[in-house]
Amino acid sequence: MYDIAIIGAGPAGASAAIFAAKAGKKVVMFDSGKSITAKAWVENHYGVKEIEGPKLLKDGQEQAKKFGAELVEAEVQEINEDAELYTIQTEQGNFDTSHIIFATGMSVKAAEQFGLDTTEGTEPRVARTIKVNERGRTGKPKVWAAGTVAGVSVHTIVTAGDGARVAINVISELNGERYVDHDMMK
């Protein structure tokens, strides 16, 4: 049983996984291998001089794994809801979780199949996004969305920040108090 399952392991998903796993939550993230970042050349990401998209993806996923997040390289086939538990089905098995974060980039396919409300996208080439409130929460209990699929800019720095923001909101809900993570120099 996972505390948080993150559908998508690009900048938003991996960033959410970093914060959640570092906070001691049991986290699984699913990577379908379809991130648009895989085709990117990035020179506008804070703290990174320049990087190829595939390396940025790998580095983010490795950082999340360093803190204990599990990476499942599989596409989500179905999500089932039973009271306050969600079961995510993939070709690699089923995964039970209490919270879900959709971080599926430009795709709302899994969200719509799951019954989430979507709306017209506002970014160029982003046809639809998941309807969320100001905290990243969808219309279903304990289901959230972050990054481009939640209506923020497609830029990797923005989606990564939004993934962290939404993860902090989920962690805060799980903890019952506002979560803050500030590392100090050793």
Side-chain angles (χ1 to χ4, degrees):
M1 169 76 169
Y2 294 90
D3 297 310
I4 305 170
I6 303 166
I7 302 172
S15 184
I18 290 165
F19 270 79
K22 192 167 182 280
K25 304 307 175 197
K26 190 168 182 190
V27 177
V28 61
M29 58 182 166
F30 300 94
D31 181 15
S32 68
K34 297 178 181 176
S35 175
I36 62 168
T37 303
K39 300 174 186 172
W41 172 256
V42 182
E43 291 187 69
N44 60 356
H45 197 100
Y46 176 81
V48 178
K49 230 180 192 181
E50 57 189 35
I51 191 168
E52 292 180 348
K55 178 152 177 41
L56 181 65
L57 290 170
K58 183 178 184 293
D59 289 353
Q61 292 167 1
E62 289 298 320
Q63 189 176 4
K65 288 168 40 180
K66 171 185 138 184
F67 291 117
E70 291 180 42
L71 174 63
V72 175
E73 294 180 6
E75 193 161 346
V76 170
Q77 296 171 328
E78 190 174 343
I79 304 168
N80 295 306
E81 183 177 1
D82 182 19
E84 295 199 17
L85 174 72
Y86 296 101
T87 301
I88 296 175
Q89 297 177 355
T90 74
E91 61 268 14
Q92 293 195 21
N94 296 341
F95 301 82
D96 294 332
T97 187
S98 62
H99 285 75
I100 296 173
I101 299 174
F102 279 84
T104 52
M106 295 173 64
S107 175
V108 295
K109 180 182 171 188
E112 288 179 334
Q113 288 173 340
F114 183 50
L116 294 180
D117 292 331
T118 61
T119 187
E120 192 172 321
T122 57
E123 285 284 300
R125 297 179 302 282
V126 179
R128 310 246 356 124
T129 60
I130 299 170
K131 283 188 181 181
V132 296
N133 70 11
E134 67 281 352
R135 295 176 43 83
R137 188 185 297 273
T138 71
K140 286 195 179 241
K142 300 182 180 182
V143 179
W144 310 71
T148 303
V149 78
V152 303
S153 173
V154 298
H155 298 91
T156 60
I157 189 73
V158 177
T159 61
D162 196 56
R165 178 187 70 87
V166 171
I168 289 167
N169 291 335
V170 177
I171 297 162
S172 297
E173 183 172 296
L174 285 165
N175 290 351
E177 64 183 6
R178 188 68 181 160
Y179 174 76
V180 177
D181 178 16
H182 289 290
D183 290 330
M184 302 300 289
M185 290 179 63
K186 297 176 184 175

